[in-house]
Amino acid sequence: MKLETGLERLERKRCCCFTGHRQIEKRPEELSREIAQTALGLWRRGIDTFLAGGARGFDTLAAQRILWLRDWLQLPLRLVLALPCREQTKGWPEVEKRQYQAILEQADKAVYTGDSYTSGCMQRRNRFMVDHSAVCVCCLQGDRTRGGTLYTVRYAASQGLRIINLAEESPGLQPVGEQLRLQEASPGGLWGLLDV
């Protein structure tokens, strides 16, 4: 794995970013399967690079599934970690720090969008992932009215990314002053959409 501090140029049309909550309501096994099937469907359509933000919860689960597809199924996929700062795991439980370190060591690349924690470092990381992706796979739960996942999905929609929401309910987002049309992908509709 190559660590970089600067922003790297990625081929946007071949990239997908992940965003989701730290606390996931869906069963991890079910969500893990959906992540793998979605990634496989995207790979069949030319997406081979997946960006994850290194956060707890959905980001960790998504990164682990990409590594599994790459290593166990021998698919030519790349995992790029877009990390907000070097001390991202400060205050995390030890078990989650070990998971993070294992993913970091197995990732194809890690890009730090900042050197240290600042009030805007997470948003800078999220914007980097969106700005370098054609698709955003998220787990945005319908009851959320604020937070990093909602911000990232709104930004992705405003940038014209295809949005695939793996949460049980895909919310209709209507920020003040504009309407964002998100492509809904219910578990039943998602498989037909991706021909998996």
Side-chain angles (χ1 to χ4, degrees), residues 5-6 13 41 48 52 81 105 113 148 164 167 173 185:
T5 55
K13 68 180 182 178
D48 63 3
L81 295 179
E105 290 170 4
T113 59
I164 300 172
L173 299 179

Side-chain angles (χ1 to χ4, degrees), residues 87 128 173 185:
E87 64 266 6
F128 171 82
L173 299 179

Side-chain angles (χ1 to χ4, degrees), residues 14 21 25 30 37 41 48 50 56 63 68 81 95-96 105 117 120 140 148 152-153 167 188 193:
R14 298 181 65 148
H21 305 296
E25 293 175 9
E30 178 184 352
Q37 289 181 325
D48 63 3
F50 294 84
R56 297 156 53 186
W68 178 79
L81 295 179
V95 67
E96 291 178 333
E105 290 170 4
Y117 181 84
L140 178 61
T152 304
V153 171
L193 177 70

Side-chain angles (χ1 to χ4, degrees), residues 11 15 35 38 49-51 65 71 85-86 89 92 95 101 122 139 153 182 192 194:
E11 193 174 351
C15 295
I35 291 167
T38 301
T49 302
F50 294 84
L51 287 77
R65 287 307 90 201
D71 297 342
C85 59
R86 295 189 181 274
T89 61
W92 288 16
V95 67
Q101 190 60 40
M122 301 297 177
C139 184
V153 171
L182 298 183
L194 298 175

Side-chain angles (χ1 to χ4, degrees), residues 4 6-12 78 128 132:
E4 295 187 7
L7 301 181
E8 159 191 340
R9 190 144 178 85
L10 298 168
E11 193 174 351
R12 186 175 194 169
R78 290 189 336 142
F128 171 82
H132 291 85

Side-chain angles (χ1 to χ4, degrees), residues 50-68:
F50 294 84
L51 287 77
R56 297 156 53 186
F58 183 74
D59 282 12
T60 296
L61 192 58
Q64 289 171 332
R65 287 307 90 201
I66 296 304
L67 292 171
W68 178 79

Side-chain angles (χ1 to χ4, degrees), residues 53-159:
R56 297 156 53 186
F58 183 74
D59 282 12
T60 296
L61 192 58
Q64 289 171 332
R65 287 307 90 201
I66 296 304
L67 292 171
W68 178 79
L69 288 168
R70 184 193 73 190
D71 297 342
W72 285 92
L73 297 183
Q74 301 294 305
L75 295 179
L77 303 179
R78 290 189 336 142
L79 174 64
V80 175
L81 295 179
L83 305 173
C85 59
R86 295 189 181 274
E87 64 266 6
Q88 181 173 4
T89 61
K90 185 177 181 179
W92 288 16
E94 283 305 314
V95 67
E96 291 178 333
K97 286 182 181 180
R98 286 192 300 272
Q99 284 179 327
Y100 175 91
Q101 190 60 40
I103 292 168
L104 183 60
E105 290 170 4
Q106 296 174 71
D108 296 287
K109 188 174 295 272
V111 178
Y112 290 93
T113 59
D115 290 321
S116 58
Y117 181 84
T118 63
S119 62
C121 71
M122 301 297 177
Q123 285 184 343
R124 186 170 43 254
R125 181 262 327 264
N126 295 342
R127 290 177 75 92
F128 171 82
M129 291 193 306
V130 168
D131 290 344
H132 291 85
S133 296
V135 177
C136 176
V137 174
C138 65
C139 184
L140 178 61
Q141 295 157 181
D143 62 342
R144 303 300 171 101
T145 59
R146 60 184 207 152
T149 300
L150 180 61
Y151 168 85
T152 304
V153 171
R154 283 181 172 166
Y155 180 64
S158 77
Q159 298 302 302

